[in-house]
Amino acid sequence: MASIVAIGLITGDARSQPPIPVAPVNPTTAADSLLEAKTNAVAATLRCPVCQGESIQDSPSTLAQQMKSVVRERLRSGESPEQVKAYFVARYGEWILLEPRWTGLNIALYLLPVVLIIGGLALVVRLVRKWTRNPQAAEDPSS
């Protein structure tokens, strides 16, 4: 008899296993989890004014938690994530965004370091070629 019970446990025989209760899906819970996911996504893009290197999603500060609740309430009231971000930009300036938009002066600030690095590398390559050139080839015009 013990072997029959063991086989029933391994194979999942319904006679030896009690039925697993299935919880009904609550539509408000699904909506709340969707709202929480949207809140977390928007909060991850906003800089914490206290911690400055962290998003309000990751920051433990009280101000960050208050800002996150404002994000949640605005999303609950029907605003889009872009409208919520625009609200915070209007209050704090574009500094509040962890990833500033690619407009105006921001484009130059993103591209200038890349241009300087490429220019610097080109200068180094040119100087190295000049310094390592064969000195006899430069002096002897008959070659």
Side-chain angles (χ1 to χ4, degrees), residues 68-88:
K68 189 174 176 183
S69 66
V70 169
V71 169
R72 184 178 298 109
E73 290 306 314
R74 289 186 160 273
L75 288 171
R76 183 178 287 134
S77 70
E79 289 186 19
S80 71
E82 290 305 315
Q83 290 172 321
V84 174
K85 289 179 195 177
Y87 167 79
F88 282 99

Side-chain angles (χ1 to χ4, degrees), residues 81 83 92 101 129:
Q83 290 172 321
Y92 292 95
R101 298 181 185 115
R129 283 185 181 170

Side-chain angles (χ1 to χ4, degrees), residues 111-127:
L111 295 179
L112 186 62
V114 174
V115 170
L116 290 175
I117 289 172
I118 291 172
L121 288 174
L123 179 66
V124 167
V125 167
R126 184 174 178 203
L127 290 174

